[in-house]
Amino acid sequence: MKIYSVYDKEFNEYGRVLSFDFTQILTALKRKECPDNTIYVPSDGDLECCSVTDMVKDEVFGGLPVQAGYCNGHNQLLNCLEYHKSSEVNITEGDMILLLGKLQDVEKGVYNTENVMAFTVPAGCGVELYSTSMHYAPCGVNGSGFRVAVILPKGTNYGKPAEANDPLLWGSNKWLIAHKDAPEAKQGAFVGLIGDNIKV
């Protein structure tokens, strides 16, 4: 598949590149582990105390309380696509690739992976992904690992509301569609991605 850059016009439908100085948060991010698998920590004190986190809170989320965590590790597969009823900010310590889809292309929980687009995000870059941009764990470049800070409204990605009956709702403010070959499918996630489980 063709891989675009977040600086290409094709990315405009999915998000925007942010112009904050991310030095402080990148320094904190470098100290976090980068395992062979992929880990996600929704809230991390070292990232949340950075001044740029407050700037993102005010200028991207309009002053709403936020959490700053990280997604680190190694991954080359699509596996799933998730979305939130809010933007998400990603700040990457090294080069990475995002596999993105449009929520508007989902029909009754089904999405064809042939519509997925890939975008490189260069080291040190921060992007806002719009609420209609489906995404999941980043992919490394040429098999390398990644470290990416993730800023979301406070409370996102925790336990699923007890009374919710939406089959796509996988956690708080987290709707998830899995590929049949993804580990999440075996854990009970809704299987709605048809086509190839894309590998970068």
Side-chain angles (χ1 to χ4, degrees):
M1 68 187 309
K2 181 174 182 178
I3 301 178
Y4 296 90
S5 165
V6 291
Y7 290 99
D8 291 333
K9 61 180 177 58
E10 284 80 5
F11 184 65
N12 294 344
E13 297 180 76
Y14 297 90
R16 64 182 177 121
V17 177
L18 300 173
S19 57
F20 301 107
D21 180 355
F22 292 115
T23 303
Q24 188 182 15
I25 207 166
L26 291 168
T27 299
L29 191 57
K30 287 178 182 178
R31 296 194 294 266
K32 306 303 176 183
E33 65 174 320
C34 185
D36 290 338
N37 59 339
T38 300
I39 58 170
Y40 172 64
V41 176
S43 178
D44 179 86
D46 294 336
L47 303 181
E48 290 177 346
C49 72
C50 295
S51 58
V52 71
T53 302
D54 284 334
M55 294 172 65
V56 169
K57 177 190 73 173
D58 292 340
E59 297 187 33
V60 177
F61 294 98
L64 288 174
V66 298
Q67 62 193 36
Y70 58 88
C71 182
N72 294 356
H74 291 73
N75 177 54
Q76 303 301 134
L77 289 168
L78 174 66
N79 281 330
C80 299
L81 286 170
E82 69 173 359
Y83 61 92
H84 315 290
K85 297 298 177 72
S86 62
S87 290
E88 173 175 317
V89 170
N90 289 174
I91 305 153
T92 183
E93 184 265 332
D95 294 346
M96 69 175 185
I97 297 171
L98 290 174
L99 298 174
L100 304 178
K102 294 178 183 176
L103 181 57
Q104 297 91 326
D105 292 331
V106 176
E107 296 185 12
K108 297 181 179 179
V110 176
Y111 176 86
N112 194 320
T113 62
E114 69 180 12
N115 295 316
V116 167
M117 294 188 69
F119 296 91
T120 57
V121 189
C125 181
V127 296
E128 175 187 358
L129 299 177
Y130 301 142
S131 61
T132 52
S133 297
M134 299 190 296
H135 56 280
Y136 205 50
C139 293
V141 176
N142 297 323
S144 62
F146 55 84
R147 290 181 175 90
V148 56
V150 180
I151 303 178
L152 282 159
K154 194 171 184 64
T156 300
N157 285 329
Y158 287 93
K160 178 180 177 179
E163 301 301 318
N165 56 15
D166 184 342
L168 273 64
L169 188 61
W170 189 244
S172 54
N173 192 28
K174 178 188 181 80
W175 286 260
L176 184 76
I177 306 173
H179 191 276
K180 64 179 178 61
D181 296 331
E184 290 82 353
K186 298 177 179 64
Q187 297 165 15
F190 181 86
V191 176
L193 297 185
I194 59 173
D196 294 336
N197 188 16
I198 297 170
K199 183 176 182 179
V200 175

